[in-house]
Amino acid sequence: MIANKGEKRFAEIDEMTSAILRFPGERLAIFTCSFGSADVGYYNVVGTKGDLRLENAYEYAGEMRCVTTIDGKKSQKTFKPGDQFAPELIYFSDCIINDRVPEPSGKEGLADVRVINALYESAEIGQPVNIEQVPKRRRPNEKMVIKRPAVKEPKLVSAKSPQSS
């Protein structure tokens, strides 16, 4: 964990976090999240035969672009903009109304918190921290897909972009 002590906006939070997560089967996940860097949102998945990059992966406005390279052959697919958050609210509300357990459940949220706590502990002690895997009985499936139109990017009202602070 790295805290940027030079800026007021990072006085109480870490400006940037990087981590390496090790999974069974010699799989790794490496990530960096920064509140002070350029406004980009993408992820890469790298395997033994190729890689995948999803650009604009976390945004609520704009197209997403997926570039895949397998055995040296590159392909690209563009996804139309869509609201990612509204379907989650619709689904969760439906689960409450119909007395169903949502997927993901609170157990998955607890697993996320355990990972974050392990990251903090690892940074503090300078050693890897093992956590037990939470068994997953259900997985999302195609029947659960809900689509909603894209949201428009909001206009800033008397405010500067966080990057220009």
Side-chain angles (χ1 to χ4, degrees):
M1 313 281 173
I2 300 171
N4 185 336
K5 302 292 184 194
E7 291 190 49
K8 286 182 186 178
R9 63 187 175 142
F10 303 123
E12 297 180 25
I13 63 165
D14 295 320
E15 183 276 326
M16 179 175 68
T17 298
S18 292
I20 300 173
L21 307 177
R22 185 179 309 270
F23 297 91
E26 297 301 314
R27 294 175 292 159
L28 297 175
I30 302 168
F31 73 86
T32 298
C33 178
S34 173
F35 296 107
S37 65
D39 187 16
V40 296
Y42 65 88
Y43 64 82
N44 290 335
V45 177
V46 180
T48 56
K49 294 183 180 182
D51 65 277
L52 172 147
R53 177 182 175 99
L54 186 63
E55 299 171 354
N56 204 26
Y58 309 106
E59 303 301 324
Y60 291 104
E63 294 181 334
M64 289 188 292
R65 185 171 74 122
C66 182
V67 179
T68 306
T69 306
I70 299 174
D71 292 328
K73 295 180 183 177
K74 190 177 275 194
S75 64
Q76 180 174 304
K77 184 174 183 177
T78 301
F79 299 91
K80 292 180 182 177
D83 187 333
Q84 299 174 34
F85 192 61
E88 290 179 32
L89 293 175
I90 292 166
Y91 171 73
F92 187 65
S93 299
D94 185 64
C95 287
I96 293 170
I97 291 167
N98 294 298
D99 196 27
R100 289 194 306 244
V101 177
E103 172 56 43
S105 70
K107 289 181 182 179
E108 186 160 327
L110 179 59
D112 292 347
V113 171
R114 288 175 53 222
V115 170
I116 292 166
N117 286 339
L119 291 172
Y120 276 110
E121 183 181 347
S122 177
E124 187 176 312
I125 66 173
Q127 296 289 319
V129 172
N130 292 323
I131 56 175
E132 291 195 27
Q133 184 175 352
V134 175
K136 198 158 177 70
R137 291 183 179 88
R138 292 178 36 208
R139 298 258 179 216
N141 61 56
E142 299 232 355
K143 293 178 185 175
M144 299 170 74
V145 173
I146 301 171
K147 299 270 186 182
R148 288 295 179 262
V151 295
K152 293 181 181 174
E153 190 151 356
K155 293 181 183 178
L156 295 178
V157 180
S158 301
K160 290 189 221 173
S161 167
Q163 281 74 29
S164 63
S165 297

